[in-house]
Coordinates of all heavy atoms in Angstrom, one line a residue:
M3 N 137.6 90.5 44.5 CA 137.8 90.0 43.1 C 136.5 89.5 42.5 O 135.8 88.8 43.2 CB 138.8 88.9 43.2 CG 139.0 88.3 41.8 SD 140.0 86.8 41.8 CE 141.6 87.6 41.6
A4 N 136.3 89.9 41.3 CA 135.1 89.5 40.6 C 135.2 88.0 40.2 O 136.3 87.5 39.9 CB 134.8 90.3 39.4
K5 N 134.1 87.3 40.2 CA 134.1 85.9 39.8 C 132.9 85.7 38.8 O 131.8 86.2 39.0 CB 133.8 85.1 41.0 CG 133.8 83.6 40.8 CD 133.6 82.9 42.1 CE 133.7 81.4 42.1 NZ 133.5 80.8 43.4
L6 N 133.2 85.1 37.7 CA 132.3 84.9 36.6 C 131.9 83.4 36.6 O 132.8 82.5 36.5 CB 132.8 85.3 35.3 CG 132.0 85.0 34.0 CD1 130.7 85.9 34.1 CD2 132.7 85.4 32.8
I7 N 130.7 83.1 36.7 CA 130.2 81.6 36.6 C 129.4 81.5 35.4 O 128.4 82.2 35.3 CB 129.4 81.3 37.9 CG1 130.3 81.4 39.1 CG2 128.9 79.8 37.8 CD1 129.6 81.2 40.4
L8 N 129.8 80.6 34.5 CA 129.0 80.4 33.3 C 128.3 79.0 33.4 O 128.9 78.0 33.8 CB 129.9 80.3 32.1 CG 130.7 81.6 31.8 CD1 131.7 81.3 30.6 CD2 129.8 82.7 31.5
V9 N 127.0 79.0 33.1 CA 126.2 77.8 33.1 C 125.4 77.6 31.8 O 125.1 78.6 31.2 CB 125.3 77.7 34.4 CG1 126.1 77.7 35.6 CG2 124.2 78.8 34.3
R10 N 125.1 76.4 31.5 CA 124.2 76.2 30.4 C 122.8 75.8 30.9 O 122.7 75.3 32.0 CB 124.8 75.0 29.6 CG 124.1 74.8 28.2 CD 124.8 73.7 27.4 NE 124.3 73.7 26.1 CZ 123.3 73.0 25.7 NH1 122.6 72.3 26.6 NH2 122.9 73.0 24.4
H11 N 121.8 76.1 30.1 CA 120.5 75.8 30.5 C 120.3 74.3 30.6 O 121.1 73.5 30.1 CB 119.5 76.3 29.4 CG 119.7 75.8 28.0 ND1 119.4 74.6 27.6 CD2 120.3 76.4 27.0 CE1 119.8 74.4 26.4 NE2 120.3 75.5 26.0
G12 N 119.2 73.9 31.3 CA 118.9 72.5 31.4 C 118.5 71.8 30.1 O 118.3 72.5 29.1
E13 N 118.2 70.5 30.2 CA 117.8 69.8 29.0 C 116.5 70.4 28.4 O 115.6 70.6 29.1 CB 117.6 68.3 29.3 CG 117.1 67.5 28.2 CD 116.8 66.1 28.6 OE1 115.6 65.9 29.1 OE2 117.6 65.2 28.4
N14 N 116.5 70.6 27.1 CA 115.3 71.1 26.5 C 114.7 70.0 25.6 O 115.2 68.9 25.5 CB 115.5 72.3 25.6 CG 116.4 72.1 24.4 OD1 116.1 71.3 23.5 ND2 117.6 72.6 24.5
E15 N 113.5 70.2 25.1 CA 112.7 69.2 24.4 C 113.4 68.7 23.1 O 113.1 67.6 22.7 CB 111.4 69.8 24.0 CG 111.4 71.0 23.1 CD 110.1 71.7 22.9 OE1 109.1 71.2 23.5 OE2 110.0 72.7 22.2
L16 N 114.4 69.4 22.6 CA 115.1 68.9 21.4 C 116.4 68.2 21.8 O 117.0 67.4 20.9 CB 115.4 70.1 20.5 CG 114.2 70.8 19.9 CD1 114.7 72.0 19.1 CD2 113.3 69.9 19.2
S17 N 116.9 68.3 23.0 CA 118.1 67.7 23.4 C 118.2 66.1 23.3 O 119.2 65.6 22.8 CB 118.5 68.0 24.9 OG 118.7 69.4 25.0
P18 N 117.1 65.4 23.8 CA 117.2 64.0 23.7 C 117.4 63.4 22.3 O 118.0 62.4 22.1 CB 115.9 63.5 24.3 CG 115.5 64.6 25.2 CD 115.9 65.9 24.5
A19 N 116.9 64.2 21.3 CA 117.0 63.7 19.9 C 118.4 64.2 19.3 O 118.7 63.9 18.1 CB 115.9 64.3 19.0
G20 N 119.2 64.9 20.1 CA 120.5 65.4 19.6 C 120.4 66.5 18.6 O 121.3 66.8 17.9
R21 N 119.2 67.2 18.6 CA 119.0 68.3 17.7 C 119.5 69.6 18.3 O 119.3 69.9 19.5 CB 117.5 68.4 17.4 CG 117.0 67.2 16.6 CD 115.6 67.3 16.3 NE 115.3 68.6 15.6 CZ 114.0 69.1 15.5 NH1 113.0 68.4 16.0 NH2 113.8 70.2 14.8
F22 N 120.2 70.4 17.5 CA 120.6 71.7 17.9 C 119.4 72.7 17.7 O 118.8 72.7 16.7 CB 121.8 72.2 17.0 CG 122.3 73.6 17.3 CD1 123.0 73.8 18.5 CD2 122.0 74.6 16.4 CE1 123.5 75.1 18.7 CE2 122.4 75.9 16.7 CZ 123.2 76.1 17.9
C23 N 119.1 73.5 18.7 CA 117.9 74.3 18.6 C 118.2 75.8 18.4 O 117.3 76.5 18.1 CB 117.0 74.2 19.9 SG 117.9 74.2 21.4
G24 N 119.5 76.2 18.5 CA 119.8 77.6 18.1 C 118.9 78.6 18.8 O 118.7 78.5 20.0
H25 N 118.3 79.5 18.1 CA 117.4 80.5 18.7 C 116.0 80.1 18.7 O 115.1 80.9 19.0 CB 117.5 81.8 17.9 CG 117.2 83.0 18.8 ND1 118.0 83.5 19.7 CD2 116.0 83.8 18.8 CE1 117.4 84.5 20.3 NE2 116.2 84.7 19.8
T26 N 115.7 78.8 18.5 CA 114.4 78.2 18.6 C 114.0 78.2 20.1 O 114.9 77.9 20.9 CB 114.3 76.8 18.1 OG1 114.7 76.8 16.7 CG2 112.9 76.2 18.2
D27 N 112.8 78.6 20.5 CA 112.5 78.7 21.9 C 112.0 77.3 22.4 O 110.8 77.2 22.8 CB 111.4 79.8 22.1 CG 111.5 80.4 23.5 OD1 112.5 80.1 24.2 OD2 110.7 81.3 23.8
A28 N 112.8 76.3 22.4 CA 112.5 75.0 22.9 C 112.4 75.1 24.5 O 113.3 75.7 25.1 CB 113.6 74.0 22.5
V29 N 111.4 74.5 25.0 CA 111.2 74.6 26.4 C 112.0 73.5 27.2 O 112.3 72.4 26.6 CB 109.7 74.5 26.8 CG1 108.9 75.6 26.2 CG2 109.1 73.1 26.3
L30 N 112.2 73.7 28.5 CA 112.9 72.7 29.3 C 112.0 71.4 29.5 O 110.7 71.6 29.6 CB 113.2 73.2 30.6 CG 114.3 74.3 30.7 CD1 114.5 74.8 32.1 CD2 115.6 73.9 30.0
T31 N 112.6 70.3 29.5 CA 111.9 69.0 29.8 C 111.7 69.0 31.3 O 112.3 69.8 32.0 CB 112.6 67.8 29.3 OG1 113.9 67.8 29.9 CG2 112.8 67.8 27.8
A32 N 111.1 67.9 31.8 CA 111.0 67.7 33.2 C 112.4 67.5 33.8 O 112.7 68.0 34.9 CB 110.1 66.5 33.6
T33 N 113.2 66.8 33.1 CA 114.6 66.6 33.5 C 115.4 67.9 33.5 O 116.1 68.2 34.4 CB 115.4 65.7 32.5 OG1 114.7 64.4 32.5 CG2 116.8 65.5 32.8
G34 N 115.1 68.8 32.5 CA 115.8 70.1 32.4 C 115.3 71.0 33.6 O 116.1 71.7 34.1
L35 N 114.1 70.9 34.0 CA 113.6 71.7 35.1 C 114.3 71.2 36.4 O 114.6 72.0 37.2 CB 112.1 71.6 35.2 CG 111.3 72.3 34.1 CD1 109.8 71.9 34.2 CD2 111.5 73.8 34.2
K36 N 114.4 69.9 36.5 CA 115.1 69.4 37.7 C 116.6 69.8 37.7 O 117.1 70.1 38.8 CB 114.9 67.8 37.8 CG 115.6 67.2 39.0 CD 114.8 67.6 40.2 CE 115.4 66.8 41.4 NZ 114.8 67.3 42.7
Q37 N 117.2 69.7 36.5 CA 118.6 70.2 36.5 C 118.7 71.6 36.9 O 119.7 72.0 37.6 CB 119.1 70.0 35.0 CG 119.3 68.6 34.6 CD 119.5 68.4 33.1 OE1 119.2 69.3 32.3 NE2 120.1 67.3 32.7
A38 N 117.8 72.5 36.4 CA 117.8 73.9 36.8 C 117.7 74.1 38.3 O 118.4 74.9 38.9 CB 116.8 74.7 36.0
E39 N 116.8 73.3 38.9 CA 116.5 73.4 40.3 C 117.8 73.0 41.1 O 118.2 73.6 42.0 CB 115.4 72.5 40.7 CG 115.0 72.4 42.1 CD 113.9 71.4 42.4 OE1 112.9 71.5 41.7 OE2 114.1 70.6 43.3
L40 N 118.4 71.9 40.6 CA 119.6 71.4 41.3 C 120.8 72.4 41.1 O 121.5 72.6 42.1 CB 120.0 70.1 40.7 CG 119.1 68.9 41.1 CD1 119.5 67.6 40.3 CD2 119.2 68.6 42.6
L41 N 120.8 73.0 40.0 CA 121.9 74.1 39.7 C 121.6 75.2 40.7 O 122.6 75.8 41.3 CB 121.8 74.5 38.3 CG 122.8 75.7 37.9 CD1 124.2 75.2 38.1 CD2 122.5 76.1 36.5
G42 N 120.4 75.7 40.8 CA 120.0 76.7 41.8 C 120.5 76.4 43.2 O 121.0 77.3 43.9
S43 N 120.2 75.2 43.6 CA 120.6 74.7 44.9 C 122.2 74.8 45.1 O 122.7 75.2 46.1 CB 120.1 73.3 45.2 OG 118.7 73.3 45.3
R44 N 122.8 74.3 44.0 CA 124.3 74.2 44.0 C 124.9 75.6 44.1 O 125.9 75.8 44.8 CB 124.8 73.5 42.8 CG 126.3 73.6 42.5 CD 127.1 73.0 43.5 NE 128.5 73.1 43.2 CZ 129.3 74.1 43.4 NH1 128.8 75.2 44.0 NH2 130.6 74.1 43.1
L45 N 124.3 76.6 43.4 CA 124.9 77.9 43.4 C 124.3 78.9 44.5 O 124.7 80.0 44.5 CB 124.7 78.5 42.0 CG 125.4 77.8 40.9 CD1 125.0 78.5 39.5 CD2 126.9 77.8 41.1
A46 N 123.4 78.4 45.3 CA 122.8 79.2 46.3 C 123.9 79.8 47.3 O 123.7 80.9 47.8 CB 121.8 78.4 47.1
G47 N 125.0 79.1 47.5 CA 126.0 79.6 48.4 C 127.0 80.6 47.7 O 127.9 81.2 48.4
E48 N 126.9 80.8 46.4 CA 127.8 81.7 45.7 C 127.2 83.1 45.8 O 126.0 83.3 45.7 CB 127.9 81.3 44.3 CG 128.6 79.9 44.1 CD 130.0 79.9 44.3 OE1 130.7 81.0 44.3 OE2 130.6 78.8 44.6
R49 N 128.1 84.1 45.8 CA 127.6 85.5 45.8 C 127.2 85.8 44.3 O 128.0 85.4 43.4 CB 128.8 86.4 46.2 CG 128.4 87.8 46.1 CD 129.5 88.7 46.5 NE 129.1 90.1 46.1 CZ 130.0 91.1 46.1 NH1 131.2 90.9 46.4 NH2 129.6 92.3 45.7
A50 N 126.1 86.4 44.1 CA 125.6 86.8 42.8 C 125.1 88.2 42.9 O 124.2 88.5 43.6 CB 124.6 85.9 42.3
D51 N 125.7 89.1 42.1 CA 125.3 90.5 42.1 C 124.3 90.7 40.9 O 123.5 91.6 40.9 CB 126.5 91.5 41.9 CG 127.4 91.4 43.2 OD1 126.8 91.4 44.3 OD2 128.6 91.4 43.0
V52 N 124.5 89.9 39.9 CA 123.7 90.0 38.7 C 123.7 88.7 37.9 O 124.6 87.9 38.0 CB 124.2 91.2 37.7 CG1 125.6 90.8 37.2 CG2 123.3 91.5 36.6
I53 N 122.6 88.4 37.3 CA 122.5 87.2 36.5 C 122.1 87.6 35.1 O 121.1 88.3 34.9 CB 121.4 86.2 37.1 CG1 121.9 85.7 38.4 CG2 121.2 85.1 36.1 CD1 120.9 84.8 39.2
Y54 N 122.8 87.2 34.1 CA 122.6 87.4 32.7 C 122.0 86.2 32.0 O 122.5 85.1 32.3 CB 123.8 87.9 32.0 CG 124.4 89.2 32.4 CD1 125.4 89.2 33.3 CD2 123.9 90.4 31.9 CE1 125.9 90.4 33.8 CE2 124.4 91.6 32.4 CZ 125.4 91.6 33.3 OH 125.9 92.8 33.7
S55 N 121.1 86.3 31.2 CA 120.5 85.2 30.5 C 120.0 85.6 29.1 O 119.7 86.8 28.9 CB 119.2 84.7 31.3 OG 118.5 83.8 30.5
S56 N 120.0 84.7 28.2 CA 119.4 85.0 26.9 C 117.9 85.2 27.1 O 117.4 84.9 28.2 CB 119.7 83.9 25.9 OG 118.7 82.8 26.0
D57 N 117.2 85.7 26.1 CA 115.8 85.9 26.2 C 114.9 84.6 25.9 O 113.7 84.6 26.0 CB 115.3 87.0 25.3 CG 115.6 86.7 23.8 OD1 116.4 85.8 23.5 OD2 114.9 87.3 22.9
L58 N 115.6 83.5 25.6 CA 114.9 82.2 25.4 C 114.4 81.6 26.7 O 115.0 81.7 27.7 CB 115.8 81.3 24.7 CG 116.3 81.7 23.3 CD1 117.3 80.7 22.7 CD2 115.2 81.9 22.3
L59 N 113.2 81.0 26.5 CA 112.5 80.5 27.7 C 113.4 79.5 28.5 O 113.4 79.6 29.7 CB 111.2 79.8 27.3 CG 110.3 79.3 28.4 CD1 110.0 80.3 29.4 CD2 109.1 78.6 27.9
R60 N 114.1 78.6 27.8 CA 114.9 77.6 28.5 C 116.0 78.2 29.3 O 116.3 77.8 30.4 CB 115.5 76.6 27.5 CG 116.4 77.2 26.5 CD 116.9 76.1 25.5 NE 117.7 76.7 24.5 CZ 117.3 77.1 23.3 NH1 116.0 77.1 23.0 NH2 118.2 77.6 22.4
S61 N 116.6 79.3 28.8 CA 117.6 80.0 29.5 C 117.0 80.9 30.7 O 117.6 80.9 31.8 CB 118.4 81.0 28.6 OG 119.0 80.2 27.6
R62 N 115.9 81.5 30.4 CA 115.3 82.3 31.5 C 114.8 81.4 32.6 O 115.0 81.8 33.8 CB 114.1 83.1 30.9 CG 114.5 84.2 30.0 CD 113.3 85.2 29.7 NE 112.0 84.6 29.7 CZ 111.3 84.3 28.6 NH1 111.7 84.5 27.4 NH2 110.1 83.8 28.8
R63 N 114.3 80.2 32.3 CA 113.8 79.3 33.4 C 115.0 78.9 34.2 O 114.9 78.8 35.5 CB 113.1 78.1 32.8 CG 111.7 78.5 32.2 CD 110.7 78.9 33.2 NE 110.4 77.9 34.3 CZ 109.5 77.0 34.2 NH1 108.7 76.9 33.2 NH2 109.3 76.2 35.3
T64 N 116.1 78.6 33.6 CA 117.3 78.1 34.3 C 117.9 79.3 35.2 O 118.2 79.1 36.3 CB 118.4 77.7 33.3 OG1 117.9 76.6 32.5 CG2 119.6 77.2 34.0
A65 N 117.9 80.5 34.6 CA 118.3 81.7 35.4 C 117.4 82.0 36.5 O 117.9 82.3 37.6 CB 118.4 82.9 34.4
Q66 N 116.1 81.8 36.4 CA 115.2 82.0 37.5 C 115.5 81.0 38.6 O 115.4 81.4 39.8 CB 113.7 81.8 37.0 CG 113.3 83.0 36.1 CD 112.0 82.7 35.4 OE1 111.5 81.5 35.4 NE2 111.4 83.7 34.8
A67 N 115.8 79.8 38.3 CA 116.1 78.8 39.3 C 117.4 79.2 40.1 O 117.4 79.0 41.3 CB 116.3 77.4 38.7
V68 N 118.3 79.7 39.4 CA 119.6 80.2 40.1 C 119.3 81.4 40.9 O 119.7 81.6 42.0 CB 120.7 80.5 39.0 CG1 121.9 81.1 39.7 CG2 121.1 79.2 38.3
A69 N 118.5 82.4 40.3 CA 118.2 83.6 41.0 C 117.3 83.4 42.3 O 117.4 84.2 43.2 CB 117.4 84.6 40.1
A70 N 116.6 82.3 42.3 CA 115.7 82.0 43.5 C 116.5 81.9 44.8 O 116.0 82.2 45.8 CB 115.0 80.7 43.3
G71 N 117.8 81.5 44.7 CA 118.6 81.4 45.9 C 119.4 82.7 46.2 O 120.2 82.7 47.1
H72 N 119.1 83.8 45.5 CA 119.8 85.1 45.7 C 118.8 86.2 45.7 O 117.7 86.1 45.2 CB 120.8 85.3 44.6 CG 121.8 84.2 44.5 ND1 121.6 83.1 43.7 CD2 123.0 84.2 45.0 CE1 122.7 82.3 43.9 NE2 123.6 83.0 44.6
E73 N 119.2 87.3 46.3 CA 118.3 88.5 46.3 C 118.8 89.4 45.2 O 119.5 90.4 45.4 CB 118.4 89.2 47.6 CG 117.7 88.4 48.7 CD 117.5 89.2 50.0 OE1 117.6 90.4 49.9 OE2 117.4 88.5 51.0
I74 N 118.4 89.0 43.9 CA 118.9 89.7 42.7 C 118.0 90.9 42.4 O 118.5 91.9 42.0 CB 119.0 88.7 41.5 CG1 120.0 87.6 41.8 CG2 119.3 89.5 40.3 CD1 121.4 88.0 42.0
G75 N 116.7 90.7 42.5 CA 115.8 91.8 42.2 C 115.9 92.2 40.8 O 115.8 91.4 39.8
S76 N 116.1 93.5 40.5 CA 116.1 94.1 39.2 C 117.5 93.8 38.5 O 117.7 94.3 37.4 CB 115.8 95.6 39.2 OG 116.8 96.2 40.0
H77 N 118.4 93.1 39.1 CA 119.7 92.9 38.5 C 119.8 91.6 37.8 O 120.9 91.0 37.6 CB 120.8 93.0 39.6 CG 120.9 94.3 40.3 ND1 121.3 95.4 39.7 CD2 120.5 94.7 41.5 CE1 121.2 96.4 40.5 NE2 120.7 96.0 41.6
S78 N 118.7 91.1 37.3 CA 118.7 89.9 36.5 C 118.3 90.4 35.1 O 117.2 91.0 34.8 CB 117.6 88.9 37.0 OG 117.6 87.8 36.1
L79 N 119.2 90.2 34.1 CA 119.1 90.8 32.8 C 119.0 89.8 31.7 O 119.7 88.7 31.8 CB 120.3 91.7 32.5 CG 120.5 92.8 33.6 CD1 121.9 93.5 33.3 CD2 119.4 93.8 33.6
T80 N 118.1 90.0 30.7 CA 118.1 89.1 29.6 C 118.4 89.9 28.3 O 118.2 91.1 28.2 CB 116.7 88.5 29.4 OG1 115.7 89.6 29.2 CG2 116.3 87.7 30.6
H81 N 119.0 89.2 27.3 CA 119.3 89.9 26.1 C 119.3 88.8 25.0 O 119.9 87.8 25.1 CB 120.7 90.5 26.2 CG 120.9 91.5 25.1 ND1 121.2 91.2 23.8 CD2 120.8 92.9 25.1 CE1 121.3 92.2 23.1 NE2 121.1 93.3 23.8
P82 N 118.7 89.1 23.8 CA 118.7 88.2 22.7 C 120.0 87.8 22.1 O 120.2 86.7 21.6 CB 117.8 88.8 21.7 CG 117.8 90.3 22.0 CD 118.0 90.3 23.5
R83 N 121.0 88.7 22.2 CA 122.3 88.4 21.7 C 123.1 87.4 22.4 O 124.2 86.9 22.0 CB 123.1 89.7 21.6 CG 122.4 90.8 20.7 CD 123.0 91.2 19.4 NE 124.1 90.7 18.9 CZ 125.1 91.4 18.4 NH1 125.1 92.7 18.4 NH2 126.2 90.8 17.9
L84 N 122.7 87.1 23.7 CA 123.4 86.1 24.4 C 123.3 84.7 23.9 O 123.9 83.8 24.3 CB 123.0 86.1 25.9 CG 123.4 87.4 26.6 CD1 122.8 87.4 28.0 CD2 124.9 87.4 26.8
T85 N 122.4 84.5 22.9 CA 122.3 83.1 22.3 C 123.2 83.0 21.1 O 123.2 81.9 20.5 CB 120.8 82.9 21.8 OG1 120.4 83.9 20.9 CG2 119.9 82.9 23.0
Q86 N 123.8 84.0 20.7 CA 124.6 84.0 19.5 C 126.1 83.6 19.8 O 126.6 83.7 20.8 CB 124.6 85.3 18.7 CG 123.2 85.6 18.3 CD 123.1 87.0 17.6 OE1 124.0 87.8 17.7 NE2 122.0 87.3 17.1

């Protein structure tokens, strides 16, 4: 049976101010990087055949942290429409 796991990127530089960043390429803060690392550790035991991410840096960095615990290789995909 297929399983879909949805996650949100870590805290970005606009999050503490409560600002919505939309398609702005706001980078992860130190807290956001730690959150992504912890998420990667948490999901390391889950089976992952593919990881999808938007093309924004904050999303890609979070996806990379999750992918680090898996042998995804070329099955990690980004797409700009995933931010809409």
Side-chain angles (χ1 to χ4, degrees):
M3 172 187 274
K5 183 177 185 179
L6 176 66
I7 300 173
L8 300 173
V9 299
R10 188 172 190 275
H11 57 75
E13 178 187 81
N14 65 66
E15 62 190 358
L16 300 178
S17 297
R21 293 180 55 198
F22 176 75
C23 46
H25 204 76
T26 303
D27 210 4
V29 299
L30 293 179
T31 62
T33 298
L35 290 169
K36 183 65 174 173
Q37 290 169 337
E39 180 184 309
L40 290 170
L41 177 64
S43 295
R44 166 64 178 85
L45 295 177
E48 296 288 337
R49 177 179 169 198
D51 296 318
V52 65
I53 294 177
Y54 294 97
S55 168
S56 81
D57 62 338
L58 297 174
L59 183 59
R60 63 184 178 267
S61 298
R62 289 192 333 256
R63 292 292 302 268
T64 303
Q66 288 169 348
V68 173
H72 300 87
E73 292 190 21
I74 298 295
S76 63
H77 298 289
S78 182
L79 308 171
T80 61
H81 196 285
R83 302 247 0 227
L84 289 173
T85 60
Q86 299 175 351

